Each structure stands twice: as C-alpha cells, then as structure tokens.
Amino acid sequence: MKNLAPAIFPPKGIGDAKPSNRAVLDWVHEIATLTQPENIFWCDGSERENEFLIAESLKQNVLIELNQKKVPGSYLHRSNPNDVARVEQFTFVCTPTKQEAGPTNNWAEPREIYAKLRELLRGAMRGRTMFVIPYMMGPADSPLTKVGFEITDSKYVVLSLRTMTRMGEIALRRLGDDPSAEWNRGVHSLLDVNPERRFICHFPQDNTIISVGSGYGGNVLLSKKCLALRIGSYLACKQGWMAEHMLILGVESPEGRKHYVAAAFPSACGKTNFAMLIPPAHFKGWKVTSVGDDIGWMRIRDGRLYAVNPENGYFGVVPGTSYKSNPNAMRSIAHDTIYTNVALTDDGDVWWEGKDGDPPAHAIDWRGNDWTPQSKEKAAHPNSRFTTPMRNNPALDPDVEKGEGVPISAIIFGGRRSDTVPLVYQAFDWSHGVYLGATMASETTAAATGAVGRVRRDPMAMLPFCGYNIGDYFQHWLDIGKRLSNPPLIFNVNWFRKGADGKFLWSGFGENMRVLKWIIDRCEGSGGALKSPIGWLPSPHDLDLAELDIDHNAVDELLGLDHEEWQKEIAAHKEFFDSLGGVVSEELQRQRDQLAARFKP
Ligand code: OXD
Ligand code: MN
C-alpha cells in the first residue's frame, strides 16, 4: 500500500499539547493501540504549529504553494479523484435499533460495525503520525458550545480544522478535567483512500464518529456534518435545542433596525451567497452581515429562538464564485485559504469555472493534468471547495461571538426548483411552516456523489444530516414551536424557477435582497400579502422591484401558482410521507389534507 501520510517528527515544543482529561487520554491510548501510529502529535492550534504543518505538507505534496503575492497565505490541495464529495451511500447512523436511525438513514448495528471498523483501523496508522485535535464548536461562552476531539492521520484535516473550528487550548480549557464531561470522540483514517473501504459512521448514543477511507472535507472534517449536524441533531432533540443546516444573517435597515434570519437550503444551493449578500444600489443604507453560512444551532430564550454559528470558517463551493456573484466571498478567499480541487494557473494562481475575467490560456486542472479552454473536462471540479476563516469576511456580523446567540425573526426554507414553487411565500403559522420544511425538495447537486439535477425531497435540507428518526425530528420541530411565545415567521423561497425558454426568471444573488426586504416587512407587520392555498404570497407590488430589469410577465410567472403543478406537488408530498413508513405525525398529515382542501374550489 502506498504510504499516503508518512510520519513527521516535529521539533521540541510542537505537537506536545497533551490534554490532562483522563477520559481523553484513555481514549487516545485505546485508538493508538489499535492503529499503531509511528508517533502521536498533540495539536495546540498555535501559529507555530500551523507553520510547521504547512511546511511538512508542502514537502509531502499534501499542499501546493500558490503565488504568495497573488493569494497570500493560501495553498492548493488535490484530493484523490475517487474522493471528491460526501458519500451518502457510505454514511451510517449506528443506533441500537434500526427504528432509531429511521427511514432516511443507512443503518448499521453498532456492535457489528464497530468490529468491522476496528479491523479496518488495525495497524492503519503504521508509519504515520496520529494527530489529536481538540476543538470547540460555538463561541467560547455559549451554553450551546460543544467540545470534540478528532484523531486523524491527515495533515489536511488538521490544517482545515484549524480554520473551521476553534481549535487547541481553548477547547481543552472548555472541557476541563472532569472525566464525565460531554465531548465528542472522532476517529479518522485515510486508510488507502479506497471507495470500497470508505465508511462514515455515527454512534449518537456514544457521541462517537468513525470515518475511514476518505480525505474529502465533508466526510473527514468531523466537526461539521458529522458532529454539528448528525450527532448535533440527536443531542439537540434529547437536550431541547435545534441543530440545523442553516445559514444565519443579519439585516439592518437604514434606520438601524436589525433582524436576524436563518435559512435552510440543500448543499450547493447558494447558502454562502445568501449569507454574504450585498444589497443592490437601490437599497442604499441597508446592511447584510453574516453570522454563519452552513450550520445554525438554536435554543429557546425568553420565548424566542436564539442562534449561534458553531463553526469558525467557511468550507464553500468554489465554481461560480466571482466578484459579480459574491464579492464578499471573493474578498474572504483572497488570502489565508486552502483551496481543494480547483485549477492551478501557470503563474501560481487559482482558477475555476465562473471566476471573473477570461479563462487562462493554460492551467493544470484539479486532477493535475494540462488544461486549456479547449479541453472537454472542467478545470475545477464542480464540488471544488475553499476553506477560509470567517474572520476574512468583510461583512462578518459583530455579534458572531455572542454566547447567547442572535434572536431569529424569520426562518427560510428553499431549494432548487425549476417549476411549481413561487419565488417566495409565507407559512400561515409554525405548524404549517414545519410542513413547508418537511416537504421541501430540491434538484440534486455535485455536493454529494450521484446523479445531479434530480428532484429529491430534502426536509429542512437535513435529509443527509439528520442523525435520528426523521419522524421524531419533525415532531421535535413541532414541539419546539409549542414552547415559543414569539416564534420566527417561516417562509419558503425559490431563486431557481425557470421560464418556458429554460432560463432562470429571477436574477438572484444581490437581488435576493428584494425578497429579504419583503420577509423583514412581514416580520415588522408592514408587508402586504395575498392569502393563497399554499400560504401568504406577495403580489407584484408588495415586492420592491424598482430599478430591476425584469418584465411583468416574468414577475407574474415567479409568483404564480399553477394548479396542475400543485396537484402533482401535493401527490409527491403524500408519496414522500408514505415512503417514510408511518413515522410522520398526524399533525403534518393534517397539514397536507388542509393544503389539498385549499386548492378545491
Ligand atoms: C456542505 C454540504 O459541504 O452541505 O456544506 O455538502
Ligand atoms: Mn452544507
């Protein structure tokens, strides 16, 4: 087997930040005995450690140095071409009974899969360094904050977690020495990066994750999808809070009135773009700030939902990112960024499809091959990524570190739908809003392996991330609503509706401010709307469309309801609920019956 991650031997003072918590030490000892690494590297998250690991990664070709004048502090990583996206088919929720994992998760019996993983991990780190990474998810003083440890044999993981989490000493301090304290155990090994030995396994009852055989971020940065969403959602249900696949943004009016909004869109549907939206010139004085671009943890306080972003950085989709589509993302990734699977230009810069300017005459593509604009292959992989600190974002919200979180006025659901679903509408109440979330659907993207462009139901954008029975998850949403005296209003948006010519009807990006403004108006009780069978719909004059180049027919189409399409949609909702095998509560079934009844003359 090719040695994918040869051991490194750090100088004194690096790699020796051994934690003092007995439970952690015992666990590390157990994993080291099993995997037999050459040495153990105890990460402290310091600058010195980071510099050392970057230097070693450059030597071992884990990173390629970019032109430091063009993209200071930035590097390129190429993952194995067989390993470029999340692998939902190899992702498991391992609960004592299949019923606890529910109908939407792959399930494995814990004892059997532990035994299988143990065999795969036996001796897997021979000749390699085992890194032990302490990290914290959430602001330092938040009651929602969780501590995790990731053991890994990948330097790319260490360097990425340093950006994506609050890593090192800060996490050790938060954990303390109590051996019974709650913390997540994450074990990752590249093994031989073979799809046949690739498993991403979650053990919610043990607060444990084991990921083998992959080096791709979504499968191996265990803080993110694995802890903050799959294990997080399980803990949230047990402990009475919410872990959601949501961006969080702040919107401030020229008069200084501020609202926070959380929005759940499936992977690669524009969460990062929406979180970093820059209002068009017409909205002079309006400000949008980002709290988070992917994950929101929310808890109840004074009858309202308050949210924190558990993450510390962005792991965003690169292709299509430009100064036109997302200037704040471009500024964020202009320095101190790890790029994965983008193209390398001859002058050491990075390039991807959709970047501003002309394509380079020659580049090295994401696989390491020569590329020219005439090449049939894409230069950057469609799911190529940037890993960048949230501090790089010029529009970072000032309250991002606030432990109590930010109060949420509205929750938005959305997906990629060419037809049927209008640009925006509002649920009648919380339960109806839960129904909107539970039945949302989207055309699939390159963020996961498999067919692209197929409409699939993706409840609350959590289909691949809900770590327990989806029926219990829906019920948790309904129960949370009952505890809120001042619940957020719930909306559904669709930026992706197409006209008969197959072209998008809505220009999206910054212009989404117009939709956001209507949402904020509704939160303030001032926005107009018409009652429709699916919820409150704006009429064209309820949206501020001034100075927007769009014709009336397109607006009518964007806001229109086609009854025939909706009959199909309602049938698809029924089919989806039926496919879940009886786990959907009567309350949501009733919502569907009421929706169908509202379409009857
Ligand atoms: C992501 C995803 O990487 O949702 O955020 O796939
Ligand atoms: Mn995501």
Side-chain angles (χ1 to χ4, degrees), residues 78-104:
R78 293 196 188 117
S79 72
N80 189 312
N82 76 30
D83 184 32
V84 291
R86 284 186 293 100
V87 282
E88 292 177 8
Q89 68 279 30
F90 304 129
T91 299
F92 291 85
V93 171
C94 314
T95 43
T97 63
K98 187 169 186 331
Q99 192 258 336
E100 286 159 276
T104 55

Side-chain angles (χ1 to χ4, degrees), residues 367-447:
R367 295 171 200 260
N369 297 327
D370 284 314
W371 182 93
T372 70
Q374 284 71 47
S375 299
K376 283 203 190 72
E377 308 278 337
K378 293 225 186 296
H381 187 275
N383 191 38
S384 51
R385 296 281 176 146
F386 56 75
T387 307
T388 203
M390 68 175 176
R391 303 264 148 246
N392 281 11
N393 178 2
L396 189 67
D397 191 85
D399 283 345
V400 74
E401 292 290 351
K402 208 169 178 178
E404 73 190 30
V406 296
I408 299 297
S409 301
I411 288 176
I412 304 175
F413 295 119
R416 225 174 243 277
R417 295 294 300 270
S418 305
D419 49 42
T420 315
V421 181
L423 178 64
V424 59
Y425 61 102
Q426 182 193 339
F428 293 122
D429 55 28
W430 180 270
S431 300
H432 181 224
V434 175
Y435 180 80
L436 298 193
T439 55
M440 70 188 245
S442 192
E443 289 149 26
T444 49
T445 67

Side-chain angles (χ1 to χ4, degrees), residues 335-363:
H335 58 102
D336 301 301
T337 294
I338 300 176
Y339 288 92
T340 302
N341 293 340
V342 298
L344 176 67
T345 65
D346 294 348
D347 58 355
D349 201 352
V350 277
W351 192 80
W352 53 84
E353 280 73 15
K355 194 178 182 186
D356 308 86
D358 294 331
H362 174 264

Side-chain angles (χ1 to χ4, degrees), residues 50-211:
N50 197 48
E51 278 166 19
F52 171 75
L53 289 175
I54 287 173
E56 291 298 311
S57 301
L58 291 171
K59 271 192 237 159
Q60 295 180 358
N61 292 325
V62 172
L63 293 182
I64 296 168
E65 180 147 28
L66 294 170
N67 183 328
Q68 296 298 302
K69 288 216 176 73
K70 289 186 180 281
V71 256
S74 302
Y75 302 88
L76 169 64
H77 171 76
R78 293 196 188 117
S79 72
N80 189 312
N82 76 30
D83 184 32
V84 291
R86 284 186 293 100
V87 282
E88 292 177 8
Q89 68 279 30
F90 304 129
T91 299
F92 291 85
V93 171
C94 314
T95 43
T97 63
K98 187 169 186 331
Q99 192 258 336
E100 286 159 276
T104 55
N105 283 309
N106 298 315
W107 175 76
E109 200 279 321
R111 246 174 328 149
E112 276 172 29
I113 192 90
Y114 268 134
K116 180 170 176 168
L117 292 166
R118 220 172 285 127
E119 282 322 300
L120 288 168
L121 284 169
R122 195 176 300 285
M125 296 191 192
R126 263 189 213 127
R128 299 181 184 180
T129 295
M130 183 174 105
F131 299 92
V132 183
I133 313 167
Y135 66 88
M136 195 173 79
M137 299 303 282
D141 62 347
S142 175
L144 283 170
T145 291
K146 303 280 182 203
V147 170
F149 281 79
E150 178 163 352
I151 288 178
T152 180
D153 53 12
S154 157
K155 286 178 277 303
Y156 171 75
V157 167
V158 185
L159 295 168
S160 302
L161 275 205
R162 189 169 188 271
T163 295
M164 295 304 297
T165 70
R166 291 142 176 106
M167 172 185 155
E169 292 292 341
I170 192 169
L172 295 181
R173 271 202 305 280
R174 169 92 185 193
L175 179 68
D177 284 342
D178 177 0
S180 67
E182 181 195 280
W183 55 280
N184 180 265
R185 293 152 171 75
V187 180
H188 165 247
S189 174
L190 292 161
L191 303 185
D192 57 350
V193 194
N194 182 336
E196 283 172 22
R197 284 184 281 280
R198 184 167 296 158
F199 299 102
I200 325 296
C201 297
H202 306 73
F203 302 85
Q205 279 85 354
D206 302 342
N207 206 347
T208 292
I209 306 156
I210 303 179
S211 164

